[in-house]
Every structure is written in structure tokens, then in C-alpha cells.
Amino acid sequence: MQFRIGNGYDVHRFADAEESGAVITIGGVAIASKKRLLAHSDGDVLVHALCDALLGALALGDIGHHFPDTDPRYRGVSSLLLLQQVMMLVGEKAWEIANVDLTLIAQEPRFAPHVLAIRNSLATTMKIAADRISVKATTTEGLGFTGRKEGIACQAVALLQRQVPA
Ligand code: MG
């Protein structure tokens, strides 16, 4: 088999109260937000969905299996470290990234001004070219939990291809 595909989905909930100077972390990039995200880790919903897509392509379970939120080692940890570890698994199994496509679903904040920074952050962490990483953002027109601004969701798809021996 020369290709593997994986899909990932994650949600994080906003804190109830607005907080001046609040910041959320998306793709390792700090983004100003009216509310913090509640999470055991840094709440990086985009990186969590991406890790799950990669683990799905490898058929190696999910992010909760590899990095349990009951484990104090992962409390407050940068999710980019988890992504680095998942990328090691990709390499160990002789796969490489063909491309990934990520869709953030949120009413706010607006992610469009941060898309390039997020792609570059992921490219650095994953050691791949940014043109293999697509980041998109959509609202749900005010519908559902994202529309009510209760949280942020992210969908991820990852395609892996066999490493070409050097
Ligand atoms: Mg998560």
C-alpha cells in the first residue's frame, strides 16, 4: 500500500466568562480571544485533530490513548510536542506526509489573519513544506455550539505516502 488516509476531529470548550487579555493557542500560535479555552493541555484543538488524523492514517489509535489526560506529564504541555511525537511514529513506519487539510469551525475569533502563521508553525514542527498544509476556517452561521460561541471544533484529514528511499 502506497497511501494511507486519516481523519481527525476535536472540540474544546470556552470558559464561561470573558477575560481581558485572554489568549488561545491554535497550531502553536497565540491568538487573542474574548475567552480562554478549557483544557488539560494547551487546548490546541487544531493540533489535536491533526494528531488524530495522523494516528488514524497509521491505525495506531487516538491521541487520548497515546497522551492520556490523566497523565500529569501532559498537563499544560505544548501540543506541538505531541505532534512531534506523532510525526516520529509516521517516520518510524516509513510514511511521510503527502498533505494535510484542516478546518477550524468557530464563530469567533476570526482565524483568517492567522492562517499563514499557523501553517508556518506546523511546517516547522512537522519538518515539511507549508504548501503541504492547508488551514481553513468557517463559521456555522450562528448555529450549534460553535455558533453559540461555546467552543471551537476542528476537522482534519491527512494523507500519508510511502517514504522514497534516499
Ligand atoms: Mg483536544
Side-chain angles (χ1 to χ4, degrees):
M1 197 173 353
Q2 295 307 307
F3 294 98
R4 302 293 293 263
I5 193 167
N7 138 77
Y9 178 72
D10 194 34
V11 171
H12 279 276
R13 172 195 282 271
F14 281 123
D16 289 334
E18 295 190 4
E19 200 179 303
S20 72
V23 166
I24 62 175
T25 304
I26 300 292
V29 175
I31 295 172
S33 171
K34 287 180 186 160
K35 297 175 176 179
R36 285 184 305 118
L37 288 172
L38 300 175
H40 179 83
S41 66
D42 59 2
D44 196 328
V45 64
L46 179 136
V47 169
H48 296 174
L50 174 55
C51 286
D52 260 353
L54 297 171
L55 290 169
L58 297 170
L60 283 179
D62 61 29
I63 191 170
H65 170 78
H66 288 267
F67 313 107
D69 62 11
T70 50
D71 188 332
R73 278 183 301 168
Y74 302 119
R75 179 166 290 280
V77 76
S78 167
S79 294
L80 293 180
L81 293 176
L82 311 185
L83 178 57
Q84 270 177 1
Q85 291 191 38
V86 171
M87 284 300 294
M88 283 178 55
L89 295 175
V90 171
E92 280 170 14
K93 300 283 181 185
W95 296 101
E96 61 185 16
I97 306 288
N99 72 303
V100 300
D101 185 20
L102 310 166
T103 303
L104 286 158
I105 305 163
Q107 205 66 32
E108 60 181 33
R110 283 189 51 75
F111 291 112
H114 306 287
V115 161
L116 194 58
I118 293 170
R119 291 175 66 208
N120 286 331
S121 167
L122 296 176
T124 300
T125 299
M126 299 171 80
K127 299 189 171 76
I128 62 174
D131 69 1
R132 292 176 185 266
I133 303 167
S134 162
V135 174
K136 314 194 298 296
T138 186
T139 71
T140 50
E141 301 277 337
L143 298 173
F145 71 87
T146 51
R148 292 189 298 270
K149 306 174 186 174
E150 293 168 359
I152 298 177
C154 187
Q155 292 179 343
V157 178
L159 187 69
L160 306 183
Q161 61 194 16
R162 264 289 166 232
Q163 282 179 8
V164 180

